[in-house]
Amino acid sequence: MTPAIKALERDGVPFELLSYEHDPRAPAYGEEAANALDLDPRSVFKTLIARLDDGRLAVGIVPVTGQLDLKALAKAADARRASMAEAAEAERATGYVLGGISPLGQKKRLATFLDASAKDLDRLHVSGGRRGLEIALAPADLIRLCQARLAPLARP
């Protein structure tokens, strides 16, 4: 039971757990999840942690089919610049390991931004808090639980 699952259960949010055998040689966790679970990759989102130029950390959630546009994240967060956080810093702030960082149940509440493409989906998939575990839920529930703001964050 991960903190992400506990958060969903505590709030009574409907969700589905999907699991697969994680391959440690997989080059990209999100694409691995989409392939292993036979999901539309546009519905599988990766959770990335960035450092803003004012020192804050922020969460960017984008489809695995794209990259996080750091300029767009900075703009959405009212900052001038953003850069990817160091792995150890992201793990400390969230309480999760890379490849298993969930936007739900993080140790610290960080400003969270979800790519605007999520609004067109009935369900999206995010990490369940460990490698090999995905959570399917409605975008509106993710937005509410994470207090996320929608913004155009993904670039091809």
Side-chain angles (χ1 to χ4, degrees):
M1 178 81 59
T2 67
I5 297 167
K6 288 177 185 175
L8 290 166
E9 288 179 343
R10 182 181 57 246
D11 287 351
V13 174
F15 68 96
E16 180 183 0
L17 279 180
L18 307 164
S19 62
Y20 61 95
E21 190 64 36
H22 166 63
D23 179 355
R25 298 178 312 252
Y29 301 110
E31 287 89 356
E32 177 192 24
N35 291 332
L37 297 169
D38 196 28
L39 299 171
D40 180 344
R42 293 172 297 183
S43 76
V44 179
F45 283 66
K46 53 190 170 185
T47 304
L48 304 167
I49 310 300
R51 175 155 295 286
L52 304 173
D53 62 338
D54 61 9
R56 292 178 295 149
L57 291 177
V59 178
I61 308 167
V62 297
V64 300
T65 55
Q67 302 271 333
L68 175 60
D69 182 333
L70 290 167
K71 286 183 182 180
L73 178 62
K75 181 179 177 184
D78 295 323
R80 289 188 309 273
R81 286 182 305 283
S83 59
M84 293 306 298
E86 295 293 324
E89 182 178 40
E91 291 178 343
R92 268 193 314 276
T94 64
Y96 295 116
V97 298
L98 286 186
I101 294 179
S102 179
L104 301 159
Q106 295 182 357
K107 275 179 30 177
K108 295 180 183 176
R109 168 113 23 211
L110 303 174
T112 301
F113 302 88
L114 175 62
D115 185 66
S117 66
K119 71 180 181 306
D120 299 326
L121 301 171
D122 292 327
R123 288 187 349 153
L124 56 76
H125 304 85
V126 295
S127 175
R130 66 173 168 77
R131 296 172 187 153
L133 185 65
E134 291 289 306
I135 293 172
L137 74 163
D141 288 329
L142 180 67
I143 290 167
R144 182 177 53 77
L145 287 175
C146 295
Q147 298 176 354
R149 289 185 273 166
L150 286 174
L153 300 178
R155 59 179 168 78

